[in-house]
Amino acid sequence: MKSSLKIFIFIFFISYSLKSFSQVDPTIPLQQRNLQNNLVNPVINENPFIEQKFPTQNNQKIFKKPSQKTINSNIKDENNKNENIKEDEISDEESNNKEEKKADKDDKNSEKKDADNDEGLFGSIRIGPMVGFGIINGPNISIESKLWRYIGLSASYSYFNEFDLFRSKQLKSMLNSSQDFQFDTLKLSYWQYEGKLSIFPFGGSFFIGAAYGKRQFFFKSTGNINLTVANFPQRLNTPFVDTLAINSTYWTPQIGLLATWSGSFGWFAIGTEIGAQLTLDVSVENNINLTDPTVQQYISYAVQSPEYASLNDQLRKTITENLKAYPIIYWNILKIGWIF
């Protein structure tokens, strides 16, 4: 009997415990879950004077377990977000690369553009030799200098010897229009030296300038002349050698280009220039030598002959008057050199 009572009490205790600690729906909020628990809130559950109100479906906030579709949607949104972040990072990286390349290109262009800013052998003053070839002045050498990118100073010398002018048949025909004398050869030697001031208005290769210098045209001709000599029964025919030196000063307004490339030591320079030589002052020295020994006996009479005077004027007046009346086109076609 006593053992049966113990078994009954044990079963009753177990039943009561299961009732009191029954499993509660986890979706119910903690506060509401405690209200339904007799052990946690025994006063409310056992007090008959307090109306017990249990949560209903209307006033109970129900938490539902998210569906698989919602989870997949959230995962998809998260992936899209990550992809957008990656795309933004790639776009930013590409943009930075483009900016870096552009900056490098700008730096290179700036270095090329500012090559003139480099200090030379004498600081802001650069100087060096150049050689060139041009129309009228022929082969030439010069010392070029550039000061602070905007000012240029130079000195040059040109020379050529015995250029055959009768390569032009038209010139030979024009000079041999007289019946009293005939030119067989006509050669020209030339020299000039000048100083030039140039202004580079944009600090680049283009310049405007003006040169002042001195030059000489030296003509040497040979031929035959028929002279009428007083007290001599017939005209004398004799070979002659005629030399004519025309010295003049001039100035030359001009424009041109002087491009430079910076090297490891100094600049490589290449340029061209064109202008017009305007004559300021002219002096002429003329000498005619009659080479026939017979005529030498009558030389005092020969130089007074009209044929001799005509020969003397043919080159002297023609070339000198044209030299004063018309400018001479000057074109230094190409010059190259190195400026330190």
Side-chain angles (χ1 to χ4, degrees):
M1 182 70 178
K2 184 181 283 188
S3 61
S4 299
L5 183 59
K6 289 181 180 181
I7 292 171
F8 176 79
I9 293 171
F10 177 76
I11 292 171
F12 176 79
F13 180 77
I14 293 299
S15 299
Y16 183 80
S17 299
L18 291 174
K19 182 180 177 181
S20 300
F21 296 98
S22 60
Q23 187 175 0
V24 182
D25 187 354
T27 61
I28 299 176
L30 182 62
Q31 294 83 355
Q32 295 181 6
R33 201 185 311 167
N34 291 335
L35 291 174
Q36 296 178 16
N37 194 321
N38 295 329
L39 294 178
V40 175
N41 198 2
V43 177
I44 294 176
N45 290 326
E46 294 179 1
N47 193 339
F49 301 99
I50 298 178
E51 182 180 0
Q52 297 184 17
K53 294 182 180 180
F54 299 97
T56 62
Q57 188 174 3
N58 293 332
N59 59 12
Q60 181 180 358
K61 185 175 181 181
I62 300 174
F63 292 89
K64 295 182 179 180
K65 184 179 180 180
S67 64
Q68 187 64 31
K69 183 177 180 180
T70 303
I71 293 174
N72 293 337
S73 177
N74 292 336
I75 293 173
K76 185 177 181 181
D77 292 340
E78 188 67 23
N79 292 335
N80 291 336
K81 184 176 179 181
N82 293 333
E83 289 178 359
N84 291 335
I85 292 174
K86 289 181 180 179
E87 290 178 357
D88 292 340
E89 291 177 352
I90 294 172
S91 178
D92 292 340
E93 186 176 355
E94 291 178 352
S95 177
N96 293 333
N97 291 336
K98 288 181 180 179
E99 290 179 357
E100 289 177 0
K101 290 180 180 179
K102 184 178 179 181
D104 292 340
K105 186 176 181 181
D106 292 341
D107 290 341
K108 290 179 180 179
N109 292 335
S110 178
E111 288 176 0
K112 183 177 180 182
K113 184 177 179 180
D114 297 337
D116 288 347
N117 290 329
D118 298 337
E119 293 295 324
L121 190 61
F122 303 100
S124 299
I125 301 175
R126 287 185 172 269
I127 188 170
M130 298 191 73
V131 296
F133 182 84
I135 296 177
I136 298 299
N137 59 331
N140 56 87
I141 59 174
S142 63
I143 299 296
E144 299 282 343
S145 65
K146 200 171 184 182
L147 295 71
W148 305 288
R149 297 181 60 192
Y150 296 99
I151 301 174
L153 295 173
S154 67
S156 64
Y157 176 76
S158 304
Y159 174 79
F160 62 87
N161 187 40
E162 293 191 349
F163 178 77
D164 188 4
L165 295 176
F166 277 172
R167 293 180 180 180
S168 169
K169 303 298 182 183
Q170 184 178 0
L171 178 61
K172 185 175 183 179
S173 176
M174 181 181 68
L175 292 178
N176 287 329
S177 59
S178 174
Q179 298 296 323
D180 296 326
F181 51 83
Q182 293 290 311
F183 289 96
D184 295 328
T185 63
L186 178 61
K187 295 183 179 180
L188 170 64
S189 298
Y190 178 85
W191 58 259
Q192 75 171 39
Y193 56 86
E194 67 178 20
K196 181 179 70 176
L197 170 66
S198 304
I199 302 296
F200 297 82
F202 310 113
S205 58
F206 174 78
F207 70 85
I208 56 176
Y212 176 84
K214 187 174 182 179
R215 68 192 174 194
Q216 182 187 80
F217 295 91
F218 184 81
F219 298 91
K220 182 178 180 180
S221 61
T222 61
N224 285 275
I225 184 173
N226 295 314
L227 300 172
T228 302
V229 179
N231 301 323
F232 199 81
Q234 59 184 7
R235 300 179 72 182
L236 298 177
N237 181 275
T238 178
F240 67 86
V241 177
D242 186 4
T243 59
L244 175 66
I246 303 175
N247 299 294
S248 61
T249 56
Y250 65 91
W251 78 283
T252 309
Q254 58 186 249
I255 59 174
L257 298 172
L258 183 62
T260 57
W261 286 267
S262 180
S264 57
F265 184 69
W267 291 338
F268 172 72
I270 183 171
T272 184
E273 53 200 17
I274 188 170
Q277 290 186 348
L278 306 176
T279 303
L280 300 176
D281 184 35
V282 179
S283 62
V284 180
E285 299 176 4
N286 189 206
N287 182 33
I288 300 176
N289 184 18
L290 304 176
T291 60
D292 191 336
T294 305
V295 177
Q296 292 295 328
Q297 302 175 13
Y298 306 96
I299 190 65
S300 59
Y301 298 102
V303 297
Q304 297 176 10
S305 66
E307 294 86 3
Y308 184 90
S310 178
L311 175 62
N312 191 33
D313 292 341
Q314 181 72 2
L315 288 176
R316 181 172 182 166
K317 286 187 176 180
T318 301
I319 296 176
T320 304
E321 289 177 0
N322 288 332
L323 194 62
K324 289 182 178 180
Y326 302 103
I328 297 176
I329 298 301
Y330 163 81
W331 182 20
N332 202 7
I333 301 172
L334 178 68
K335 59 180 183 179
I336 58 175
W338 201 267
I339 302 178
F340 301 99

